[in-house]
Amino acid sequence: MSRCSTHVALRLLALLFLLPAVWSATFTMTNNCGYTVWPGLLSGAGTAPLSTTGFALAHGASATVDAPASWSGRMWARTLCAEDATGKLTCATGDCGSGGIQCNGGGAAPPATLVEFTLDGSGGMDFFDVSLVDGYNLPMLVVPQGGGGAASNGSGGGGGKCMATGCLVDLNGACPADLRVMAASTGAAASGGAAVACRSACEAFGSPQYCCSGAYGNPNTCRPSTYSQFFKNACPRAYSYAYDDSTSTFTCATGTNYAITFCPSTTSGKVSGVENPQAAAAGVPSTDGTMVVLGAEQLSTTSSAVLAAPQLMMLLLPLVAAVL
């Protein structure tokens, strides 16, 4: 009997050690915008889907979404969304074409500020970036939290590349006139007639030199343009064009969680030890600063089919103790 109990205990302990592989990361999304946004979530091809593909997030509210191991995909915020008489939801920016709150596999219509993740990738690292390659619709900040030894001074996971990234600057008002997107009539009242997004030069003009296609389809021939430099100067850590990898891709050890804030204020974190002075000027805080998340309303969107790792661990620990 003792041998059997020990065998059961060892199997349970082994399961506990494997639990980090069940959920690779938790994303906490917070809306600091002065209006409701509708986050959209799109899983990459061949990766397990998340428990939600879209939801409404009121001003000051937060939501958590657990991602399975090796998940890859992107997230963004839809803005100025409204339902017509038939109940069809349409958004002025970031619309995913589903006609509802859930995006159901639809991606963001450009222009939209994107955050992209590949969890548990090469070398057991998470890879992530904030991208303005498809244009911009609102400010966004991504901050690694715990788990992966997040660091901004070069001493932590990812060889010093585990740090906050994003675009904290409101670019819509400063957007070049030939890239500027004005609100359609459905969202004009809410936007006050102001610009609601800023297109990329690729979307605006379709030229291979801006889209990094054709003869410009490699990093040697596709170079930064005056348009991409507009985004880069304002947001030094964000992707500004297709081959902007060296200053825009960040890595953390697998097991790191991520806080994603829409419309972060420049006072939402203490800037200290930031290696990139342009990023400091843009207000992107390093991860050794203290991030103050506004709003207390929490919305959990964990899957009903599978318990998150911490919950399962709390259930299994008493069983282990009992058999031991």
Side-chain angles (χ1 to χ4, degrees):
M1 179 67 180
S2 175
R3 182 177 179 181
C4 180
S5 297
T6 302
H7 181 69
V8 172
L10 289 174
R11 290 177 67 88
L12 289 172
L13 284 172
L15 178 59
L16 290 178
F17 283 119
L18 289 172
L19 280 176
V22 176
W23 293 113
S24 190
T26 295
F27 301 112
T28 301
M29 289 178 243
T30 299
N31 178 19
N32 283 355
C33 303
Y35 46 85
T36 298
V37 299
W38 286 258
L41 304 91
L42 176 65
S43 297
T47 63
L50 300 176
S51 58
T52 181
T53 60
F55 51 90
L57 196 61
H59 163 67
S62 294
T64 60
V65 179
D66 287 328
S70 301
W71 182 82
S72 67
R74 54 178 50 182
M75 305 172 189
W76 68 96
R78 295 167 284 174
T79 67
L80 299 172
C81 301
E83 291 184 344
D84 63 16
T86 67
K88 179 182 178 181
L89 184 75
T90 303
C91 304
T93 76
D95 193 89
C96 59
S98 68
I101 292 179
Q102 296 284 336
C103 282
N104 299 324
T113 311
L114 305 174
V115 56
E116 303 171 310
F117 287 95
T118 296
L119 304 179
D120 194 17
S122 177
M125 305 298 293
D126 295 347
F127 294 78
F128 63 100
D129 66 81
V130 168
S131 175
L132 308 181
V133 174
D134 290 340
Y136 166 100
N137 66 336
L138 50 64
M140 182 190 294
L141 174 66
V142 181
V143 180
Q145 296 187 320
S152 60
N153 57 9
S155 62
K161 291 285 282 182
C162 185
M163 60 181 72
T165 185
C167 182
L168 276 68
V169 183
D170 185 355
L171 298 180
N172 290 332
C175 181
D178 44 359
L179 302 182
R180 195 175 302 155
V181 176
M182 306 302 292
S185 58
T186 55
S191 68
V196 296
C198 189
R199 295 188 293 174
S200 68
C202 175
E203 185 202 357
F205 309 119
S207 169
Q209 69 185 78
Y210 296 132
C211 297
C212 294
S213 60
Y216 296 89
N218 66 78
N220 295 322
T221 57
C222 191
R223 310 301 298 170
S225 67
T226 54
Y227 292 106
S228 70
Q229 205 60 49
F230 161 75
F231 292 110
K232 197 65 176 178
N233 289 341
C235 306
R237 294 189 182 179
Y239 261 88
S240 59
Y241 78 109
Y243 295 110
D244 196 11
D245 303 79
S246 61
T247 60
S248 306
T249 300
F250 298 87
T251 56
C252 291
T254 296
T256 303
N257 297 319
Y258 299 91
I260 301 167
T261 306
F262 303 116
C263 303
S265 67
T266 56
T267 58
S268 63
K270 295 187 298 183
V271 179
S272 58
V274 179
E275 296 175 351
N276 185 336
Q278 287 181 302
V284 177
S286 63
T287 54
D288 60 357
T290 302
M291 182 178 179
V292 180
V293 178
L294 304 178
E297 181 181 343
Q298 299 294 323
L299 170 66
S300 175
T301 55
T302 53
S303 171
S304 59
V306 182
L307 288 174
Q311 297 170 309
L312 190 54
M313 187 176 292
M314 292 302 294
L315 290 175
L316 290 176
L317 279 174
L319 296 176
V320 174
V323 295
L324 289 176

Coordinates of all heavy atoms in Angstrom, one line a residue, residues 148-231:
G148 N 9.8 35.2 -16.4 CA 10.9 35.1 -17.3 C 12.1 35.9 -16.9 O 13.0 36.0 -17.8
G149 N 12.2 36.4 -15.7 CA 13.3 37.2 -15.4 C 13.4 38.5 -16.2 O 14.5 38.8 -16.7
A150 N 12.3 39.2 -16.4 CA 12.3 40.4 -17.2 C 13.3 41.3 -16.7 O 13.5 41.6 -15.5 CB 10.9 41.0 -17.2
A151 N 14.0 41.9 -17.6 CA 15.1 42.9 -17.2 C 15.2 43.9 -18.4 O 15.0 43.6 -19.5 CB 16.4 42.2 -17.0
S152 N 15.7 45.1 -18.0 CA 16.0 46.1 -19.0 C 17.4 46.5 -19.0 O 17.8 47.4 -19.7 CB 15.1 47.3 -18.8 OG 15.3 47.9 -17.5
N153 N 18.2 45.9 -18.2 CA 19.6 46.4 -18.1 C 20.6 45.4 -18.7 O 21.8 45.5 -18.4 CB 20.0 46.6 -16.6 CG 19.7 45.4 -15.7 OD1 19.5 44.3 -16.3 ND2 19.9 45.5 -14.4
G154 N 20.1 44.4 -19.4 CA 21.0 43.5 -20.1 C 21.3 42.3 -19.3 O 22.1 41.4 -19.7
S155 N 20.8 42.2 -18.0 CA 21.2 41.1 -17.1 C 20.1 40.0 -17.1 O 20.3 39.0 -16.4 CB 21.4 41.6 -15.7 OG 20.2 42.2 -15.2
G156 N 19.0 40.2 -17.8 CA 17.9 39.2 -17.6 C 17.7 38.4 -18.9 O 18.5 38.3 -19.8
G157 N 16.5 37.7 -18.9 CA 16.2 36.8 -20.0 C 16.2 37.5 -21.3 O 16.0 38.7 -21.4
G158 N 16.6 36.8 -22.4 CA 16.6 37.4 -23.7 C 17.8 38.2 -24.0 O 17.8 39.0 -25.0
G159 N 18.9 38.0 -23.2 CA 20.1 38.8 -23.5 C 19.9 40.3 -23.5 O 20.5 41.0 -24.2
G160 N 19.1 40.7 -22.5 CA 18.9 42.2 -22.3 C 17.8 42.7 -23.2 O 17.6 43.9 -23.2
K161 N 17.1 41.9 -23.9 CA 16.0 42.3 -24.8 C 14.6 42.0 -24.2 O 13.6 42.0 -24.8 CB 16.1 41.6 -26.1 CG 17.3 42.1 -26.9 CD 17.0 43.5 -27.5 CE 16.1 43.5 -28.7 NZ 15.9 44.8 -29.4
C162 N 14.6 41.7 -22.9 CA 13.3 41.5 -22.2 C 12.9 42.8 -21.5 O 13.3 43.0 -20.4 CB 13.4 40.3 -21.2 SG 11.8 39.9 -20.4
M163 N 12.2 43.6 -22.2 CA 11.9 44.9 -21.7 C 10.6 45.4 -22.3 O 10.0 44.8 -23.3 CB 13.0 45.9 -22.0 CG 13.3 46.1 -23.5 SD 14.6 47.2 -23.9 CE 16.0 46.3 -23.3
A164 N 10.1 46.5 -21.8 CA 8.8 47.1 -22.3 C 9.0 47.6 -23.7 O 10.1 48.1 -24.1 CB 8.4 48.2 -21.3
T165 N 7.9 47.5 -24.4 CA 7.9 48.1 -25.8 C 6.6 48.7 -26.0 O 5.6 48.4 -25.3 CB 8.3 47.1 -26.8 OG1 8.4 47.7 -28.1 CG2 7.3 46.0 -26.9
G166 N 6.5 49.5 -27.1 CA 5.2 50.0 -27.4 C 5.3 51.3 -28.2 O 6.4 51.7 -28.6
C167 N 4.2 52.0 -28.2 CA 4.1 53.4 -28.8 C 3.1 54.2 -27.9 O 1.9 53.9 -28.0 CB 3.6 53.3 -30.2 SG 3.5 54.9 -31.1
L168 N 3.7 55.1 -27.1 CA 2.9 55.8 -26.2 C 2.4 57.1 -26.7 O 1.7 57.9 -26.1 CB 3.7 56.1 -24.9 CG 3.7 55.0 -23.9 CD1 4.4 53.7 -24.3 CD2 4.3 55.4 -22.5
V169 N 2.8 57.5 -27.9 CA 2.5 58.8 -28.5 C 1.2 58.7 -29.3 O 1.0 57.8 -30.1 CB 3.7 59.3 -29.4 CG1 3.4 60.6 -29.9 CG2 5.0 59.2 -28.6
D170 N 0.4 59.7 -29.2 CA -0.8 59.9 -30.0 C -0.4 60.4 -31.3 O -0.1 61.6 -31.5 CB -1.8 60.8 -29.3 CG -3.2 60.8 -30.1 OD1 -3.2 60.2 -31.2 OD2 -4.1 61.4 -29.6
L171 N -0.3 59.5 -32.3 CA 0.1 59.9 -33.7 C -1.0 60.4 -34.6 O -0.6 60.9 -35.7 CB 0.9 58.7 -34.3 CG 2.1 58.2 -33.6 CD1 2.7 57.1 -34.4 CD2 3.1 59.3 -33.4
N172 N -2.2 60.2 -34.2 CA -3.3 60.6 -35.2 C -3.3 62.0 -35.5 O -3.4 62.4 -36.7 CB -4.6 60.1 -34.6 CG -4.8 58.6 -34.6 OD1 -4.2 57.9 -35.4 ND2 -5.6 58.1 -33.6
G173 N -3.1 62.9 -34.6 CA -3.1 64.3 -34.9 C -1.9 64.8 -35.7 O -2.1 65.7 -36.5
A174 N -0.8 64.1 -35.4 CA 0.4 64.5 -36.1 C 0.6 63.8 -37.4 O 1.6 64.0 -38.2 CB 1.6 64.3 -35.2
C175 N -0.2 62.9 -37.8 CA -0.1 62.0 -38.9 C 0.0 62.9 -40.2 O -0.8 63.8 -40.4 CB -1.3 61.1 -39.0 SG -1.2 59.9 -40.4
P176 N 0.9 62.5 -41.1 CA 1.0 63.3 -42.4 C -0.4 63.2 -43.1 O -1.1 62.2 -43.1 CB 2.0 62.5 -43.2 CG 2.9 61.9 -42.1 CD 2.0 61.5 -41.0
A177 N -0.7 64.3 -43.8 CA -2.1 64.4 -44.3 C -2.4 63.3 -45.3 O -3.5 62.9 -45.4 CB -2.2 65.8 -45.0
D178 N -1.4 62.8 -46.1 CA -1.7 61.8 -47.1 C -1.8 60.4 -46.5 O -2.1 59.4 -47.1 CB -0.7 61.8 -48.2 CG 0.8 62.0 -47.7 OD1 1.0 62.1 -46.5 OD2 1.7 62.0 -48.6
L179 N -1.6 60.3 -45.1 CA -1.7 59.0 -44.5 C -2.9 59.1 -43.5 O -3.3 58.0 -43.0 CB -0.5 58.7 -43.7 CG 0.9 58.5 -44.4 CD1 2.0 58.1 -43.5 CD2 0.7 57.6 -45.6
R180 N -3.4 60.2 -43.2 CA -4.4 60.4 -42.2 C -5.8 59.8 -42.6 O -6.2 59.9 -43.7 CB -4.6 61.9 -41.9 CG -5.3 62.2 -40.6 CD -5.3 63.8 -40.4 NE -3.9 64.3 -40.4 CZ -3.6 65.5 -40.7 NH1 -4.5 66.4 -41.2 NH2 -2.3 65.9 -40.6
V181 N -6.4 59.1 -41.5 CA -7.7 58.5 -41.7 C -8.7 59.3 -40.9 O -8.6 59.4 -39.6 CB -7.8 57.0 -41.3 CG1 -9.2 56.5 -41.4 CG2 -6.8 56.2 -42.2
M182 N -9.7 59.9 -41.5 CA -10.8 60.6 -40.8 C -11.9 59.7 -40.5 O -12.2 58.7 -41.3 CB -11.2 61.8 -41.6 CG -10.1 62.7 -42.0 SD -9.1 63.4 -40.6 CE -10.4 64.5 -39.9
A183 N -12.7 59.9 -39.5 CA -13.8 59.1 -39.1 C -14.9 59.1 -40.1 O -15.2 60.2 -40.7 CB -14.3 59.5 -37.7
A184 N -15.5 58.0 -40.4 CA -16.7 57.9 -41.2 C -17.8 58.5 -40.4 O -17.7 58.8 -39.2 CB -17.0 56.5 -41.6
S185 N -19.0 58.7 -41.1 CA -20.1 59.3 -40.4 C -20.6 58.6 -39.2 O -21.0 59.2 -38.2 CB -21.3 59.5 -41.4 OG -21.7 58.2 -41.9
T186 N -20.4 57.3 -39.2 CA -20.8 56.5 -38.0 C -20.1 56.8 -36.8 O -20.6 56.7 -35.7 CB -20.7 55.0 -38.3 OG1 -19.3 54.7 -38.7 CG2 -21.7 54.5 -39.4
G187 N -18.8 57.2 -36.9 CA -18.0 57.5 -35.7 C -17.6 58.9 -35.6 O -16.8 59.3 -34.7
A188 N -18.1 59.8 -36.5 CA -17.7 61.2 -36.5 C -18.0 61.9 -35.2 O -17.2 62.7 -34.7 CB -18.4 61.9 -37.7
A189 N -19.2 61.6 -34.6 CA -19.6 62.3 -33.4 C -18.7 61.9 -32.3 O -18.2 62.8 -31.5 CB -21.0 61.9 -33.0
A190 N -18.4 60.6 -32.1 CA -17.5 60.2 -31.0 C -16.1 60.7 -31.2 O -15.4 61.0 -30.2 CB -17.5 58.6 -31.0
S191 N -15.6 60.8 -32.4 CA -14.2 61.3 -32.6 C -14.1 62.8 -32.7 O -13.0 63.3 -32.7 CB -13.7 60.7 -33.9 OG -14.4 61.3 -35.0
G192 N -15.2 63.5 -32.7 CA -15.2 64.9 -32.8 C -14.7 65.5 -34.1 O -14.2 66.6 -34.2
G193 N -14.7 64.6 -35.1 CA -14.3 65.1 -36.4 C -12.8 65.0 -36.6 O -12.3 65.5 -37.6
A194 N -12.1 64.4 -35.7 CA -10.6 64.4 -35.7 C -10.2 63.1 -36.4 O -10.9 62.2 -36.7 CB -10.0 64.4 -34.3
A195 N -8.9 63.1 -36.7 CA -8.3 61.9 -37.3 C -8.4 60.7 -36.3 O -8.2 60.9 -35.1 CB -6.8 62.1 -37.7
V196 N -8.7 59.5 -36.8 CA -8.9 58.3 -36.0 C -7.8 57.3 -36.2 O -7.7 56.3 -35.4 CB -10.3 57.7 -36.2 CG1 -11.4 58.7 -35.8 CG2 -10.4 57.3 -37.6
A197 N -7.0 57.4 -37.2 CA -5.9 56.5 -37.5 C -4.9 57.1 -38.5 O -5.2 58.1 -39.1 CB -6.5 55.2 -38.0
C198 N -3.8 56.4 -38.6 CA -2.7 56.8 -39.5 C -2.2 55.6 -40.3 O -1.8 54.7 -39.8 CB -1.6 57.4 -38.6 SG -0.3 58.3 -39.6
R199 N -2.4 55.7 -41.6 CA -2.1 54.6 -42.5 C -0.6 54.5 -42.7 O 0.2 55.4 -42.5 CB -2.7 54.8 -43.8 CG -4.3 54.7 -43.8 CD -4.8 54.7 -45.2 NE -4.6 56.0 -45.9 CZ -4.9 56.3 -47.2 NH1 -5.4 55.3 -47.9 NH2 -4.7 57.4 -47.7
S200 N -0.2 53.3 -43.1 CA 1.2 53.1 -43.5 C 1.3 53.6 -44.9 O 0.3 53.6 -45.7 CB 1.6 51.6 -43.4 OG 0.9 50.9 -44.4
A201 N 2.6 53.8 -45.4 CA 2.8 54.2 -46.7 C 2.4 53.1 -47.7 O 1.9 53.4 -48.8 CB 4.2 54.7 -47.0
C202 N 2.6 51.9 -47.3 CA 2.3 50.7 -48.1 C 0.8 50.7 -48.4 O 0.4 50.6 -49.6 CB 2.7 49.4 -47.5 SG 2.2 47.9 -48.4
E203 N 0.0 50.9 -47.4 CA -1.5 50.9 -47.6 C -1.9 52.1 -48.4 O -2.8 52.0 -49.2 CB -2.2 50.8 -46.2 CG -3.7 50.7 -46.4 CD -4.5 51.2 -45.2 OE1 -3.9 51.5 -44.2 OE2 -5.8 51.2 -45.3
A204 N -1.3 53.2 -48.1 CA -1.7 54.5 -48.8 C -1.4 54.5 -50.2 O -2.2 55.0 -51.1 CB -1.1 55.7 -48.0
F205 N -0.2 54.0 -50.6 CA 0.2 54.2 -52.0 C 0.4 52.8 -52.7 O 0.4 52.8 -54.0 CB 1.6 54.9 -52.0 CG 1.5 56.2 -51.2 CD1 2.4 56.4 -50.1 CD2 0.7 57.2 -51.5 CE1 2.4 57.5 -49.3 CE2 0.6 58.4 -50.8 CZ 1.5 58.5 -49.7
G206 N 0.6 51.7 -52.0 CA 0.7 50.4 -52.6 C 2.0 50.2 -53.4 O 2.1 49.3 -54.2
S207 N 3.0 51.1 -53.2 CA 4.2 51.0 -54.0 C 5.1 49.9 -53.4 O 5.3 49.8 -52.2 CB 5.0 52.3 -53.9 OG 6.3 52.2 -54.4
P208 N 5.8 49.1 -54.2 CA 6.7 48.0 -53.8 C 7.8 48.6 -52.8 O 8.2 47.9 -51.9 CB 7.3 47.5 -55.0 CG 6.3 47.7 -56.1 CD 5.7 49.0 -55.7
Q209 N 8.3 49.8 -53.0 CA 9.3 50.3 -52.2 C 8.8 50.6 -50.8 O 9.6 50.5 -49.8 CB 9.9 51.6 -52.8 CG 9.0 52.8 -52.7 CD 9.5 54.0 -53.5 OE1 9.5 54.1 -54.7 NE2 10.1 54.9 -52.7
Y210 N 7.5 50.8 -50.6 CA 7.0 51.0 -49.3 C 6.5 49.7 -48.7 O 6.4 49.5 -47.5 CB 5.8 52.0 -49.3 CG 6.2 53.4 -49.7 CD1 5.5 54.1 -50.7 CD2 7.3 54.0 -49.1 CE1 5.8 55.4 -51.1 CE2 7.7 55.3 -49.5 CZ 6.9 56.0 -50.4 OH 7.3 57.3 -50.8
C211 N 6.1 48.8 -49.6 CA 5.5 47.5 -49.1 C 6.6 46.4 -49.0 O 6.3 45.3 -48.5 CB 4.4 47.0 -50.1 SG 3.0 48.1 -50.2
C212 N 7.8 46.7 -49.3 CA 8.9 45.7 -49.3 C 8.6 44.5 -50.1 O 8.7 43.4 -49.6 CB 9.3 45.4 -47.8 SG 10.0 46.7 -46.9
S213 N 8.1 44.7 -51.3 CA 7.7 43.6 -52.2 C 8.4 43.7 -53.5 O 9.1 44.7 -53.8 CB 6.2 43.6 -52.4 OG 5.8 44.9 -53.0
G214 N 8.3 42.7 -54.3 CA 9.0 42.7 -55.6 C 10.5 42.8 -55.5 O 11.1 42.2 -54.7
A215 N 11.0 43.8 -56.2 CA 12.5 44.0 -56.2 C 12.9 44.6 -54.8 O 14.1 44.6 -54.5 CB 12.8 45.0 -57.3
Y216 N 12.0 45.0 -54.0 CA 12.3 45.5 -52.7 C 12.0 44.5 -51.6 O 11.9 44.9 -50.4 CB 11.5 46.8 -52.5 CG 11.8 48.0 -53.4 CD1 11.1 48.1 -54.6 CD2 12.8 48.9 -53.1 CE1 11.5 49.1 -55.5 CE2 13.1 49.9 -54.0 CZ 12.5 50.0 -55.2 OH 12.8 51.0 -56.1
G217 N 11.9 43.3 -52.0 CA 11.5 42.2 -51.0 C 12.6 41.7 -50.2 O 12.6 40.5 -49.8
N218 N 13.6 42.5 -49.9 CA 14.7 42.0 -49.0 C 15.3 43.2 -48.2 O 15.1 44.4 -48.7 CB 15.8 41.3 -49.8 CG 16.6 42.2 -50.7 OD1 17.4 42.9 -50.3 ND2 16.2 42.1 -52.0
P219 N 15.9 43.0 -47.1 CA 16.4 44.1 -46.3 C 17.5 45.0 -46.9 O 17.7 46.1 -46.5 CB 17.0 43.4 -45.0 CG 17.2 42.0 -45.4 CD 16.2 41.7 -46.5
N220 N 18.1 44.5 -48.0 CA 19.1 45.3 -48.6 C 18.5 46.3 -49.6 O 19.1 47.4 -49.8 CB 20.1 44.4 -49.5 CG 20.9 43.4 -48.6 OD1 21.3 43.8 -47.5 ND2 21.0 42.2 -49.1
T221 N 17.4 46.0 -50.1 CA 16.7 47.0 -51.0 C 15.6 47.8 -50.4 O 15.3 48.9 -50.9 CB 16.2 46.3 -52.3 OG1 15.3 45.2 -51.9 CG2 17.4 45.7 -53.1
C222 N 14.9 47.2 -49.4 CA 13.8 47.9 -48.8 C 14.4 48.6 -47.5 O 14.7 48.0 -46.5 CB 12.7 46.9 -48.3 SG 11.2 47.7 -47.8
R223 N 14.5 49.9 -47.7 CA 15.0 50.7 -46.6 C 14.0 51.6 -46.0 O 12.9 51.8 -46.5 CB 16.2 51.6 -47.2 CG 17.2 50.8 -48.0 CD 17.9 49.8 -47.2 NE 18.6 50.4 -46.1 CZ 19.2 49.7 -45.1 NH1 19.0 48.4 -45.1 NH2 19.8 50.3 -44.2
P224 N 14.3 52.2 -44.8 CA 13.3 53.1 -44.2 C 13.0 54.3 -45.1 O 13.9 54.8 -45.8 CB 14.1 53.6 -42.9 CG 15.1 52.6 -42.6 CD 15.5 52.0 -44.0
S225 N 11.7 54.7 -45.1 CA 11.3 55.8 -45.9 C 11.0 57.0 -45.0 O 11.0 56.9 -43.8 CB 10.0 55.5 -46.7 OG 8.9 55.3 -45.8
T226 N 10.8 58.1 -45.6 CA 10.4 59.3 -44.7 C 9.1 59.0 -44.0 O 8.9 59.5 -42.8 CB 10.2 60.6 -45.6 OG1 9.3 60.3 -46.6 CG2 11.5 61.0 -46.2
Y227 N 8.2 58.2 -44.5 CA 7.0 57.9 -43.8 C 7.2 56.9 -42.7 O 6.7 57.1 -41.6 CB 6.0 57.2 -44.8 CG 5.5 58.2 -45.9 CD1 5.9 58.1 -47.2 CD2 4.6 59.2 -45.5 CE1 5.5 59.0 -48.2 CE2 4.1 60.1 -46.5 CZ 4.6 60.0 -47.8 OH 4.1 60.9 -48.8
S228 N 8.0 55.9 -42.9 CA 8.3 54.9 -41.8 C 9.1 55.6 -40.7 O 9.0 55.3 -39.5 CB 9.0 53.7 -42.3 OG 10.3 54.0 -42.7
Q229 N 10.0 56.6 -41.1 CA 10.8 57.3 -40.1 C 9.9 58.2 -39.2 O 10.2 58.4 -38.1 CB 11.8 58.2 -40.8 CG 13.0 58.5 -40.0 CD 13.7 57.2 -39.5 OE1 14.0 56.3 -40.3 NE2 14.0 57.1 -38.2
F230 N 8.8 58.6 -39.7 CA 7.8 59.4 -38.9 C 7.4 58.5 -37.7 O 7.3 59.0 -36.6 CB 6.6 59.8 -39.8 CG 5.4 60.1 -38.9 CD1 5.3 61.3 -38.3 CD2 4.3 59.2 -38.8 CE1 4.2 61.7 -37.5 CE2 3.2 59.6 -38.1 CZ 3.1 60.8 -37.4
F231 N 7.0 57.2 -38.0 CA 6.6 56.3 -36.9 C 7.8 56.0 -36.0 O 7.7 55.9 -34.8 CB 6.0 55.0 -37.5 CG 4.7 55.2 -38.3 CD1 4.7 55.1 -39.6 CD2 3.6 55.5 -37.6 CE1 3.5 55.2 -40.3 CE2 2.4 55.6 -38.2 CZ 2.3 55.5 -39.6

